[in-house]
Amino acid sequence: MKKIEINPITRLEGHGKIAIFLDDQGNVDDAFFQTVEFRGFEKFLQGMPMEEVPRTVSTVCGVCRGVHFTASMKASDGVFGVTPPPTGRKLRELFFNAHYVEDHSVILYALGFPDFVVGPEANPAERNVVGLINAVGAATGKEILRRRGLAVKIFELLGGKPNHPVAAIPGGWSKRLTEEERRQIEAWSEELVGLGELTLQVFDDVVLKNDQYMRLVTGDMYKVEVGYMGSVDEQERIAYYDGTQKVVDSQGAVIGTFKGKEYLDFIAERVQPWTYLKFPYQKKIGAWKGIVEGPGTNIYAVGPLARMNVIKSMDTPKAQQHFEKFHATFGARPVHHILAYHWARAIELLSAAEKCLELSRDPEITGKETWNKPSSCLGEGVGIIEAPRGTLIHHYLTDNRGIVTDANLIVATTHNNAPINLAVKKAAKHFIKNGDVSPNMLNYVEMAFRPYDLCLACSTHTVTGGQSPLEVEIFDSRGALYKTLKNF
């Protein structure tokens, strides 16, 4: 066989590669997405005071800083057995939704949209954010960047820093919001809503009205039939900061719901020797069935498309209109067309901007009580949020002083590892024929992972050591089960 590598893969956070194996006729026999970087946050968090963890895990990634900060902050509430007061919780939510806007903006405009605005077969030197700005015009590009910057200003005002925030404390938030600051955030949020509407208009003009692109969006070459997981509120609307995790199978049937530590009843992980990234699967559907799609698979995906597939509605009016248009376009649910992740991400950008505006106008947001002081240490906490890339789980065990003894992180890109491999293989088989491995064809293969918005810095961490409560299966180089580790 002949091996083709895309190394490094482009327009993502982190470092990875794609290995494609061709048969004697030059057609794809197999393809793999491989994570080649290794980081050890689960291990070196051991021995750290729990109250320091949010500030530390925000450094896992310079892009995803707010999500690890928020998930670990929620876990710290559980460790110390304390619930934030309404104002403290709302400040957290305002901070988190601003982070959503700036994160989704950079992912769409810098990583996803260049394939459509500039073109999937354009010169790679032009198929990037600079090429996108040249295509839409400098004035429009400048306005997009300016408005995204307003989301970062909200992030900084509330979190204390524009990069790695410092305002987290168990039981609430360390900074009150003044009335002057509230008015400023309200004005900025109004502009963020405009950014969300502009982004959806760009997607409508560039993608939805382009027959060639819609053949890609709705085609089988970018269709991966797996289950989905996301968070919902009591009315099964979208829930970013706090909700119940809902799991559906590849045909949309509800497998179950869980909160907190109950994730251990649903998720197991498998380890393969050819990647640092683990493979989670839904053990409620049975033992590991392999990296396969279709009815019966226990592989699942998370993120914007997954959330569109598990919720019944958005919780803001403008985003709800686009949610309805989204499902009317595809018809059957769940939607398995992975390029729809980009559309779902644009809808969420608008939704988060609307939430920022709503929270900035909430009378309680400037309340005096932002923190409930902890009075005990329970020694265990689980924080689950919907990060922009998908469900994020932080689970910590501590001693009676709140010193971390064990940490388990399951990151969105980890959840999506198996679907990404399926997507890459399917795209490679479709586009690479008879030995044609031109740069254009390889970019079509790369377009199969970009919808998942990979963050490999976040998703790779140690598998051995500590007292992780998660069940992990280890396989040898031939794929045979070597051992199953529980409470290792």
Side-chain angles (χ1 to χ4, degrees):
M1 285 190 181
K2 182 179 181 180
K3 180 183 178 182
I4 304 296
E5 277 194 353
I6 307 175
N7 187 11
I9 53 178
T10 58
R11 278 187 274 139
L12 74 158
E13 298 110 311
H15 303 282
K17 67 178 182 178
I18 292 172
I20 303 170
F21 295 89
L22 306 182
D23 60 22
D24 293 341
Q25 287 72 46
N27 297 317
V28 174
D29 179 76
D30 215 339
F32 299 88
F33 158 69
Q34 293 178 277
T35 304
V36 298
E37 63 180 325
F38 174 80
R39 313 185 82 198
F41 268 81
E42 284 182 334
K43 187 64 177 177
F44 64 68
L45 288 171
Q46 295 174 22
M48 182 174 292
M50 186 64 215
E51 60 269 28
E52 294 294 330
V53 169
R55 290 183 284 278
T56 302
V57 296
S58 78
T59 66
V60 172
C61 172
V63 176
C64 311
R65 62 213 188 280
V67 301
H68 294 292
F69 182 80
T70 302
S72 59
M73 180 169 47
K74 286 183 64 180
S76 75
D77 295 340
V79 167
F80 293 103
V82 63
T83 301
T87 295
R89 174 185 165 123
K90 288 175 182 178
L91 287 169
R92 288 181 177 186
E93 287 193 73
L94 178 56
F95 165 86
F96 189 49
N97 277 278
H99 180 50
Y100 245 85
V101 174
E102 58 107 347
D103 191 300
H104 272 353
S105 297
V106 73
I107 300 315
L108 284 167
Y109 288 102
L111 306 186
F113 279 178
D115 284 324
F116 300 97
V117 175
V118 184
E121 298 185 16
N123 186 329
E126 301 172 358
R127 195 174 59 239
N128 50 43
V129 66
V130 176
L132 182 145
I133 291 174
N134 288 334
V136 302
T140 301
K142 184 177 180 180
E143 183 63 13
I144 291 168
L145 291 172
R146 186 189 70 81
R147 294 200 183 197
R148 177 189 175 272
L150 299 180
V152 179
K153 287 181 180 294
I154 297 174
F155 183 100
E156 179 180 12
L157 191 156
L158 293 172
K161 289 185 176 182
N163 44 19
H164 303 298
V166 296
I169 49 177
W173 198 253
S174 65
K175 182 185 184 303
R176 283 188 58 196
L177 191 68
T178 68
E179 175 58 24
E180 181 181 1
E181 291 170 333
R182 186 207 65 76
R183 287 196 299 269
Q184 180 63 81
I185 291 175
E186 181 182 11
W188 286 338
S189 297
E190 289 174 346
E191 295 206 59
L192 296 185
V193 172
L195 174 60
E197 292 174 317
L198 171 62
T199 301
L200 282 158
Q201 188 62 54
V202 169
F203 192 85
D204 187 77
D205 292 341
V206 173
V207 180
L208 299 181
K209 294 178 182 177
N210 186 308
D211 291 340
Q212 177 187 354
Y213 288 164
M214 287 305 291
R215 284 194 291 272
L216 294 176
V217 171
T218 60
D220 287 344
M221 72 289 284
Y222 292 118
K223 184 179 182 181
V224 178
E225 298 185 32
V226 296
Y228 298 96
M229 183 171 75
S231 300
V232 299
D233 67 10
E234 295 84 358
Q235 298 170 325
E236 296 201 66
R237 301 176 303 179
I238 200 161
Y240 301 127
Y241 172 78
D242 195 28
T244 298
Q245 286 64 59
K246 178 180 175 182
V247 181
V248 302
D249 66 17
S250 62
Q251 297 174 299
V254 177
I255 299 303
T257 60
F258 64 87
K259 290 180 74 72
K261 193 177 177 181
E262 294 170 344
Y263 82 91
L264 295 168
D265 298 327
F266 283 78
I267 300 171
E269 292 184 285
R270 178 181 175 125
V271 177
Q272 294 283 22
W274 44 270
T275 180
Y276 283 119
L277 195 54
K278 294 180 284 187
F279 290 86
Y281 62 94
Q282 290 291 343
K283 58 185 181 181
K284 288 282 187 181
I285 306 178
W288 173 260
K289 303 174 188 293
I291 305 175
V292 295
E293 62 175 325
T297 181
N298 51 9
I299 298 303
Y300 64 98
V302 299
L305 179 61
R307 290 187 283 260
M308 295 294 138
N309 283 330
V310 302
I311 66 174
K312 290 185 177 178
S313 69
M314 306 299 289
D315 65 346
T316 56
K318 293 180 185 291
Q320 175 62 21
Q321 294 175 11
H322 291 277
F323 174 80
E324 292 169 4
K325 180 179 178 179
F326 176 92
H327 281 294
T329 299
F330 291 102
R333 294 182 65 172
V335 177
H336 295 301
H337 300 281
I338 63 172
L339 293 185
Y341 264 97
H342 297 304
W343 191 0
R345 188 167 289 117
I347 295 171
E348 289 190 342
L349 193 164
L350 176 59
S351 167
E354 289 185 277
K355 289 295 291 185
C356 285
L357 185 58
E358 176 186 311
L359 287 162
S360 73
R361 293 171 173 172
D362 190 312
E364 284 189 315
I365 203 72
T366 54
K368 295 181 180 180
E369 303 298 325
T370 66
W371 176 54
N372 284 328
K373 183 178 179 180
S375 59
S376 63
C377 180
L378 303 183
E380 185 172 16
V382 178
I384 305 180
I385 61 169
E386 285 298 319
R389 286 149 197 81
T391 310
L392 173 64
I393 301 171
H394 277 234
H395 185 180
Y396 300 96
L397 300 176
T398 75
D399 64 15
N400 58 10
R401 300 172 301 152
I403 304 299
V404 175
T405 58
D406 186 52
N408 185 47
L409 281 62
I410 309 182
V411 181
T413 300
T414 312
H415 291 295
N416 283 333
N417 190 17
I420 293 166
N421 272 273
L422 287 168
V424 165
K425 182 176 180 178
K426 180 169 283 190
K429 281 181 170 290
H430 178 87
F431 288 105
I432 298 176
K433 300 289 187 182
N434 303 318
D436 179 6
V437 288
S438 65
N440 289 342
M441 295 302 102
L442 294 180
N443 184 58
Y444 280 114
V445 176
E446 289 194 81
M447 284 174 63
F449 75 74
R450 291 191 188 115
Y452 295 96
D453 182 15
L454 310 190
C455 189
L456 302 182
C458 292
S459 57
T460 51
H461 41 259
T462 186
V463 178
T464 57
Q467 295 294 319
S468 172
L470 193 66
E471 174 184 315
V472 175
E473 297 174 332
I474 298 179
F475 294 75
D476 65 21
S477 60
R478 297 182 300 276
L481 178 63
Y482 175 63
K483 64 172 66 174
T484 299
L485 302 179
K486 296 183 179 180
N487 298 321
F488 63 90

